[in-house]
Amino acid sequence: MQQLLEDIKNGSFARVYLLYGEETYLRLQYRDKLKKALIPDGDTMNYHYFEGKGVETAQLIDLAETLPFFAERRVIVVENSGLFKKATEDLAEYFKAPAPSVCFVFVETEVDKRGRLYKAVRDTGRVVEFARQNEATLQKWILIQLKKEGKRITQNDLQFFQQRVGSDMENISRELEKLFCYTMERDVITAADIEAVCTRQIGNQIFDMVEAIAMRRQKQALDLYYDLLTLKEPPMRILFLIARQFNLLMQVRQLKRKGLDEKQIAEKTGLRSFVVRKYVSQSARFTWEELKEALTACVETEEAVKTGQMNDRMSVELLIIAYSGEKERRA
């Protein structure tokens, strides 16, 4: 990212850029910065935009070989094309010696780093990965946004905000905007404000559902399930997230037994360090056998739906009932 900013600052651009990664917010922010630096406002003659998987590489090459119209360069932006996940020999070959008057900007979520196209761009252009940001970086970024708006927040409430809205920067930005509007006349954002206007991420609701299952609070577990259905979450996605939760609990429990601390567990599992403590506590509410049985039950439930033995909504409901009902706990 720093190299990309240097290119923009100096006005010295590569022929080809590849911006990729899971962090959509940063990826699109830098796409727009680069586009603004490359092409003057209103120049529609020398700017071309393609989106989706139907992009024809021959058309891209033809455009690249066309001289710009009374301008320094022709800019071609290609987004979500999937070209970096399949064989694209002609484009990879072309990038060995692209026209001096063209600048390509590819914007993708996923790429195959083993592919010829990726390697061609890496060798002759600029590749920038936008990965999920770590906890410390996100906190700094959030605090910068708060400072711009003249807002303050305590460390505890900041962590509560992160737990509630997740780590996706695009979602964080939306939720911050809601908070700014809600606290228009005040300079301090509180946990009550966050509770009032910030939308809980689906993963948090799944965590609460599994917690309710562990505590044998069947009504609460089912209510959370029905809430997710009301939010148009597909039952099979809910099942996938329940299975993922039990899998994470098994990992956390095993790592804790090996003597790892919360920071080390966070590194191994990909969980945020400030939520590991909650996972350690939740995993302790199940025996090891219960966790294994629950994970197996999730797999069997998915199989029952795929083979037509049960419908998806009912199968997940029965799974929740089976594991949240009162029964004698094993040692």
Side-chain angles (χ1 to χ4, degrees):
M1 284 188 280
Q2 189 58 43
Q3 291 176 328
L4 183 54
L5 288 173
E6 286 295 320
D7 288 356
I8 292 171
K9 180 181 177 181
N10 299 329
S12 177
F13 300 104
R15 298 281 182 266
V16 190
Y17 288 89
L18 169 60
L19 316 181
Y20 80 96
E22 295 182 5
E23 186 46 73
T24 304
Y25 180 86
L26 286 178
R27 199 173 69 239
L28 299 185
Q29 285 273 314
Y30 279 80
R31 175 203 65 186
D32 293 343
K33 287 177 187 288
L34 190 54
K35 177 189 165 186
K36 185 176 181 180
L38 284 168
I39 196 114
D41 286 341
D43 185 354
T44 58
M45 298 292 293
N46 299 298
Y47 171 71
H48 309 273
Y49 178 77
F50 298 87
E51 184 177 16
K53 296 190 175 1
V55 179
E56 296 182 5
T57 55
Q59 183 183 5
L60 296 179
I61 294 171
D62 284 344
L63 271 174
E65 286 295 299
T66 305
L67 287 172
F69 185 74
F70 292 109
E72 184 179 350
R73 66 179 65 87
R74 186 173 296 279
V75 179
I76 303 172
V77 178
V78 184
E79 196 160 0
N80 301 319
S81 67
L83 291 174
F84 286 82
K85 294 185 70 179
K86 60 185 182 181
T88 320
E89 301 298 326
D90 56 347
L91 207 53
E93 188 66 27
Y94 179 73
F95 285 154
K96 289 181 179 179
S101 59
V102 72
C103 184
F104 279 95
V105 180
F106 291 94
V107 187
E108 305 287 337
T109 304
E110 296 178 350
V111 300
D112 181 0
K113 294 182 180 180
R114 301 165 300 175
R116 277 196 67 197
L117 189 58
Y118 176 88
K119 291 176 180 177
V121 176
R122 180 197 62 193
D123 293 342
T124 62
R126 183 86 77 198
V127 173
V128 186
E129 181 180 6
F130 297 94
R132 294 285 187 191
Q133 302 298 290
N134 62 36
E135 178 188 339
T137 302
L138 283 174
Q139 285 198 2
K140 288 177 184 176
W141 180 73
I142 293 168
L143 290 172
I144 288 171
Q145 308 312 307
L146 291 169
K147 187 175 181 180
K148 286 179 181 176
E149 298 292 327
K151 303 290 184 183
R152 293 180 288 118
I153 192 170
T154 67
Q155 183 64 27
N156 284 341
D157 289 346
L158 175 58
Q159 289 192 349
F160 174 60
F161 174 73
Q162 287 186 274
Q163 290 175 30
R164 191 172 184 87
V165 306
S167 59
D168 181 85
M169 292 180 74
E170 198 168 23
N171 186 63
I172 292 173
S173 180
R174 286 194 296 267
E175 296 301 320
L176 282 174
E177 190 62 35
K178 287 159 63 175
L179 278 173
F180 297 153
C181 293
Y182 186 73
T183 61
M184 187 78 72
E185 304 301 322
R186 292 182 282 117
D187 61 353
V188 176
I189 290 175
T190 66
D193 298 325
I194 296 164
E195 186 78 43
V197 301
C198 292
T199 305
R200 288 178 61 82
Q201 292 296 283
I202 297 300
N204 291 334
Q205 291 181 259
I206 295 294
F207 184 95
D208 291 345
M209 185 193 301
V210 173
E211 180 77 6
I213 291 171
M215 298 298 291
R216 303 296 190 240
R217 295 196 291 258
Q218 191 172 93
K219 183 179 184 305
Q220 181 187 1
L222 288 170
D223 285 345
L224 286 164
Y225 175 55
Y226 300 143
D227 286 346
L228 290 169
L229 292 176
T230 302
L231 293 170
K232 306 299 183 184
E233 280 296 316
M236 286 297 94
R237 172 166 163 74
I238 296 172
L239 177 62
F240 166 79
L241 291 171
I242 292 173
R244 178 180 179 273
Q245 180 73 3
F246 279 119
N247 186 38
L248 281 170
L249 291 174
M250 289 181 72
Q251 291 181 51
V252 168
R253 188 183 179 97
Q254 189 174 40
L255 293 170
K256 188 67 176 175
R257 280 180 174 179
K258 289 181 177 179
L260 275 67
D261 61 26
E262 290 174 5
K263 184 178 179 181
Q264 292 171 318
I265 293 174
E267 291 172 354
K268 292 282 188 182
T269 60
L271 293 169
R272 300 288 169 179
S273 58
F274 60 79
V275 302
V276 166
R277 189 177 296 108
K278 292 172 64 178
Y279 276 75
V280 170
S281 174
Q282 189 175 93
S283 68
R285 299 185 187 281
F286 294 91
T287 67
W288 182 254
E289 284 301 316
E290 283 174 332
L291 289 173
K292 286 203 301 184
E293 285 181 9
L295 197 54
T296 300
C298 289
V299 174
E300 292 173 347
T301 299
E302 181 182 21
E303 182 66 21
V305 173
K306 287 182 175 179
T307 56
Q309 298 174 49
M310 297 186 68
N311 72 57
D312 54 2
R313 176 168 178 156
M314 181 64 72
S315 65
V316 179
E317 186 171 328
L318 290 176
L319 176 72
I320 293 169
I321 290 171
Y323 280 87
S324 61
E326 291 294 337
K327 66 177 181 179
E328 185 179 345
R329 307 260 325 196
R330 302 183 191 184

